[in-house]
Amino acid sequence: MSDDEREEKELDLSSPEVVTKYKSAAEIVNKALQLVLSSCKAGVKIVDLCEKGDSFIREQTGNMYKNVKKKIERGVAFPTCVSVNNTVCHFSPLASDDAVLQEGDMIKIDMGCHIDGFIAVVAHTHVLQEGPVTGRAADVLAAANTAAEVALRLVRPGKKNKDVTEAIQKVAAAYDCKIVEGVLSHQLKQFVIDGNKVVLSVSNPDTRVDDSEFEENEVYAVDIVTSTGDGKPKLLDEKQTTIYKRAVDKNYHLKMKASRFIFSEINQKFPIMPFTARALEEKRARLGLVECVNHELLQPYPVLHEKPGDYVAHIKFTVLLMPNGSDRITSHSLQELQPTKTIDDPEIKAWLALGTKTKKKGGGKKKKGKKGDKAEESTEAEPMDATNGAATQE
């Protein structure tokens, strides 16, 4: 077997070392989320929250694998974003931005961490207030959470991507909300945050993806965004875009000196993972990024908005499709919700009643004595109570 083949063979969840790296990245990103969440107070600058999340991830990953012979890449896999109210996603402003949080804001925190290219991502929504969330704000959060719980039970070997798309739309409709269009759940692979196997959030004639089936030992980032609006977000201002990813398959000889300078900095610091323009020299970056994007050397992550007054909730988690069932490795518990709607649909109730572990006689394929094999530690997701959509596993 050639080295390439061996590499290919070993780098999925059948290797205990890979599972450990996913779980270590997840542990860090869960703590980073908790840190950012606990720092969310009225008057706090959004850029400071984003920096806090990224710094924590850099610091924690920097402490791992220090003394190994072969250098192991690790750090931020997706920059911390804090998108408020009707802003859907990807808001991670530059240092000069002075946007602050306000009491009553619906805050969506989105972030990712990787160790050796094995990526764990998470997104969570929190309303900045004392006491339970009520009314339409509670509906949109319960819709996102219940859709995430249903997706967790349907992203399993043998099921198809379109099963998940149809199910999450049905859940959102039960809360009189919409699943936001254009959000994709991707398979994750080593150093690949947007793998080829994709789950559409909404099926429509404009966006087609190949039908695919989930398989054992795959990893997915399940990404759910719900809205009380029409679920068709708009790009209002291109200048708000600060997150980009190097398009590795594209080449172009840049004309401007500023562009060449920035592009060489990006290639050195961020060859594969998404990054924020905050990490580049701000003046030069602004000039140089435009030419890079125009010639498709960079893929932008635009800041999208629903209409003012719409509530938007975002829940994203990473799930490992282990031989003994699905293991959700990133999450955060929700604050108390009192939605105006309850789930009465028998099909949704049946989905929520599914467990996430496959019971195998004699413990299935558990390997004994392998160091670092923590794959069996996760708790079984309980069947979820469909009354208020607020149940989550911690």
Side-chain angles (χ1 to χ4, degrees), residues 109-327:
I109 302 165
D110 182 8
M111 58 202 336
C113 168
H114 80 97
I115 289 170
D116 197 16
F118 298 105
I119 300 164
V121 288
V122 69
H124 179 73
T125 302
H126 180 82
V127 180
L128 197 56
Q129 66 173 60
E130 292 295 318
V133 180
T134 58
R136 294 297 282 150
D139 288 347
V140 79
L141 252 167
N145 186 58
T146 309
E149 293 290 340
V150 166
L152 173 63
R153 287 154 175 79
L154 295 181
V155 176
R156 60 200 309 166
K159 292 278 188 197
K160 295 196 165 47
N161 55 354
K162 60 173 189 266
D163 301 338
V164 179
T165 305
E166 287 161 13
I168 62 175
Q169 288 182 83
K170 189 168 190 177
V171 170
Y175 288 99
D176 197 16
C177 293
K178 291 270 196 321
I179 294 283
V180 170
E181 288 185 13
V183 179
L184 299 174
S185 296
H186 284 276
Q187 185 184 1
L188 298 172
K189 289 185 168 181
Q190 190 182 24
F191 291 110
V192 181
I193 201 164
D194 48 6
N196 291 338
K197 280 182 152 184
V198 171
V199 180
L200 272 178
S201 51
V202 177
S203 43
N204 62 27
D206 305 336
T207 38
R208 286 277 161 84
V209 297
D210 293 340
D211 284 349
S212 62
E213 193 173 290
F214 305 112
E215 293 172 53
E216 198 172 281
N217 290 329
E218 290 181 338
V219 181
Y220 285 87
V222 177
D223 204 350
I224 312 272
V225 185
T226 51
S227 172
T228 56
D230 63 6
K232 296 179 191 227
K234 306 271 186 295
L235 171 66
L236 298 183
D237 180 2
E238 277 182 11
K239 287 197 193 75
Q240 284 191 321
T241 303
T242 60
I243 296 177
Y244 302 90
K245 182 168 82 76
R246 170 86 173 86
V248 282
D249 53 342
K250 295 277 195 293
N251 284 302
Y252 173 78
H253 185 67
L254 293 159
K255 305 285 185 283
M256 285 166 54
K257 193 176 175 186
S259 310
R260 291 198 296 275
F261 175 85
I262 279 301
F263 194 58
S264 122
E265 189 183 352
I266 290 165
N267 277 332
Q268 279 168 353
K269 288 188 183 170
F270 312 106
I272 299 171
M273 297 290 179
F275 64 91
T276 160
R278 254 197 331 277
L280 308 169
E281 198 187 315
E282 194 167 320
K283 249 192 186 140
R284 265 181 156 160
R286 236 171 220 191
L287 273 172
L289 287 168
V290 176
E291 193 184 3
C292 295
V293 171
N294 286 347
H295 294 285
E296 299 180 347
L297 294 176
L298 296 177
Q299 171 195 328
Y301 287 81
V303 178
L304 301 175
H305 301 265
E306 282 280 69
K307 295 188 179 70
D310 291 344
Y311 291 111
V312 180
H314 186 189
I315 290 181
K316 175 163 47 176
F317 62 87
T318 305
V319 61
L320 312 181
L321 304 189
M322 302 296 292
N324 67 330
S326 302
D327 191 356

Side-chain angles (χ1 to χ4, degrees), residues 48-63:
D48 293 345
L49 294 168
C50 296
E51 268 304 316
K52 187 171 263 198
D54 290 352
S55 301
F56 180 83
I57 291 172
R58 281 195 297 269
E59 180 188 306
Q60 295 291 310
T61 52
N63 290 335

